[in-house]
Amino acid sequence: MRESALSGFSVGDALPRLEDAVARRVGLPHAVATARARTGLFLAVRQLVEPGREVVLSPYTIHEVVNMVICAGGVPVFADIDRATCNLDPAAAQAAITESTGAVLATHLHGLAMDLEPMARWCAARGIALIEDAAQAFGARVGGRSVGSFGDAGVFSFGMYKNLTSFLGGMLVTPHQEAADGWRRARSSYPATPFGEILGEMGRAASTDLATWPPLFRPLVFPLFRFGYLRGIGWLNSRVTVESNPLAREGEPREYMVQMRSAQAKVALDRMEGVDEDVAVRIEHARRYQEGLGDLDALLLPPWREDGSHTYSYFPVQFEDREALIRHMMRSGCDVAAQHLRNCADLPCFEAYARDCPQARLTAASTILLPTYPRYGVEDVERNVRAIRCFFGRNPGGAVFS
Ligand SMILES: *Cc1c(COP(=O)(O)O)cnc(C)c1O
């Protein structure tokens, strides 16, 4: 446990303290803790968008985000993404605006923040709400301004795989007093997150921590997953894939309408002071990938920024024959995975909202996530770089192998 300047207060105070700390960090007057980011997205859309109005969003996101828009009374309108950033393409978003548009929902995927200032001005001039899904981008800043602070509502996730985690949890931030009051009122009727759910997440976190613990990972866990992957064994693969069976929802998603517990808020508070350090390590890992892979024309790399706007929760690279590259990586002893996000604009469960989003379709079929998590070793990053270069027939110096 980190020495904390905050230790000493009772756990019962942790929730308002976490809200204050996030509000201060983000630079907004209001922060309201939620059980999950998806709960926050639901509340934001319900508060800011009149029922039946359209919400323009990226189709390259978890399907539950789309469900929250629908459950809150919005009509999702998918606009295509910019392949390099994997984020909403501002021109496509503008083209999708109609007189029925109630909001634009912009996602900062993989910790790569969009510069939302032009979009914020554009939306404000038309009376359209701007909501930021910053679930993967806590800690990212654009021009000194925190993600989540550009529009009318920002949503963070403190879920298990996010860069600030309380196993489950989230935060809504807003410049609007009225919105914050509405969310607090709604929240006051929710029960606390069941202990069983938190324990389940803690169990998963502990088994992931244990599984990725270097003395166990190299000799045992990785060979097992590699075996499963290369032989196509379903139950082993399902341990590392998510969202295998997306379904559409309607109405208020009851199981998400719960509150974060003080004990969870205490966990997030204690970990918050480590966020900047973790982000710095992720950026250094990203630098090594960038320098090692930047000359490979067949790979599409994310933009390289070291100004704090890109926090690289992964280093996502795109390659057309993704399966061949992953197999090669697995055989070379590298633990990389496909990004399993789907193009929601093509999902059968959202057929009613189908749109042709060719960039999202290509991205969903070709993205590989290279690890950047703070415990990941520099030598592992370098092994990944070497293996990818070998796949493309290039040695580390850049020359083609004979
Ligand atoms: C994780 C995630 C969410 C949902 O976060 P929860 O806290 O699990 O509800 C929403 N959007 C994006 C982009 C995410 O990565």
Side-chain angles (χ1 to χ4, degrees):
M1 263 280 153
R2 263 182 201 97
E3 261 313 303
S4 171
L6 296 158
S7 57
F9 65 87
S10 86
V11 167
D13 303 338
L15 217 76
R17 277 175 190 262
L18 178 64
E19 290 178 340
D20 281 354
V22 171
R24 245 179 293 121
R25 204 187 147 101
V26 171
L28 286 177
H30 309 288
V32 179
T34 57
R36 303 171 186 249
R38 61 198 73 179
T39 314
L41 286 165
F42 171 85
L43 289 172
V45 173
R46 204 180 56 178
Q47 178 84 29
L48 299 168
V49 180
E50 275 173 51
R53 292 187 77 83
E54 296 173 350
V55 176
V56 173
L57 80 167
S58 160
Y60 192 52
T61 188
I62 67 170
H63 79 284
E64 283 292 61
V65 167
V66 182
N67 272 331
M68 292 308 101
V69 170
I70 298 168
C71 291
V75 177
V77 173
F78 297 116
D80 211 352
I81 61 171
D82 169 358
R83 241 190 121 178
T85 64
C86 299
N87 287 328
L88 197 57
D89 173 353
Q94 287 187 13
I97 302 276
T98 68
E99 52 204 38
S100 308
T101 306
V104 173
L105 170 57
T107 304
H108 305 286
L109 206 65
H110 304 132
L112 310 185
M114 291 181 72
D115 178 1
L116 284 178
E117 208 161 296
M119 176 111 62
R121 261 183 276 121
W122 201 85
C123 284
R126 286 161 184 76
I128 295 169
L130 176 60
I131 302 171
E132 289 176 69
D133 179 351
Q136 299 190 5
F138 189 81
R141 295 178 170 279
V142 180
R145 242 172 107 180
S146 169
V147 293
S149 71
F150 287 84
D152 301 285
V155 178
F156 297 103
S157 171
F158 304 143
M160 204 175 99
Y161 297 107
K162 312 297 165 147
N163 56 347
L164 174 60
T165 176
S166 52
F167 303 109
L168 277 174
M171 192 68 74
L172 267 166
V173 294
T174 182
H176 308 304
Q177 175 84 53
E178 198 188 326
D181 290 345
W183 296 332
R184 285 182 199 284
R185 262 198 311 280
R187 185 182 65 172
S188 66
S189 67
Y190 299 160
T193 302
F195 275 122
E197 276 183 39
I198 302 170
L199 276 171
E201 291 301 309
M202 288 176 86
R204 269 190 284 280
S207 69
T208 304
D209 270 5
L210 186 65
T212 58
W213 184 47
L216 212 54
F217 184 75
R218 282 272 144 221
L220 182 68
V221 181
F222 176 66
L224 194 67
F225 281 134
R226 176 168 58 181
F227 178 81
Y229 183 82
L230 295 175
R231 304 287 166 91
I233 297 175
W235 68 266
L236 261 173
N237 284 336
S238 69
R239 295 267 318 162
V240 287
T241 59
V242 286
E243 290 213 302
S244 44
N245 189 22
L247 294 171
R249 290 173 177 268
E250 277 170 38
E252 193 153 300
R254 294 303 324 173
E255 68 267 41
Y256 299 153
M257 300 297 109
V258 292
Q259 293 193 45
M260 190 196 262
R261 287 179 181 272
S262 291
Q264 293 172 278
K266 175 83 166 77
V267 173
L269 258 176
D270 284 345
R271 291 178 171 183
M272 205 161 122
E273 50 193 295
V275 164
D276 291 328
E277 227 171 274
D278 287 353
V279 163
V281 176
R282 289 181 188 277
I283 293 173
E284 276 314 300
H285 285 339
R287 178 197 304 282
R288 285 196 156 77
Y289 285 126
Q290 174 64 35
E291 286 174 357
L293 304 172
D295 63 324
L296 299 175
D297 293 334
L299 271 190
L300 179 60
L301 303 190
W304 167 242
R305 304 259 186 285
E306 48 185 329
D307 58 2
S309 65
H310 287 28
T311 52
Y312 302 99
S313 56
Y314 292 93
F315 194 79
V317 300
Q318 296 179 45
F319 177 61
E320 257 172 62
D321 194 353
R322 156 167 89 175
E323 290 307 309
L325 179 52
I326 291 177
R327 281 174 163 271
H328 166 82
M329 299 288 284
M330 288 271 178
R331 290 203 190 91
S332 314
C334 299
D335 54 319
V336 300
Q339 167 59 288
H340 284 288
L341 288 180
R342 250 74 65 94
N343 169 21
C344 289
D346 280 347
L347 282 181
C349 68
F350 298 131
E351 202 184 352
Y353 313 104
R355 289 249 172 165
D356 186 31
C357 296
Q359 302 302 313
R361 189 175 300 130
L362 280 169
T363 302
S366 62
T367 303
I368 300 173
L369 299 177
L370 303 180
T372 58
Y373 54 92
R375 269 193 0 179
Y376 202 65
V378 168
E379 63 284 3
D380 296 316
V381 173
E382 284 171 351
R383 182 194 292 114
N384 291 341
V385 167
R386 276 198 306 277
I388 293 172
R389 297 193 70 82
C390 173
F391 179 84
F392 290 108
R394 300 289 196 93
N395 72 17
V400 180
F401 283 131
S402 56

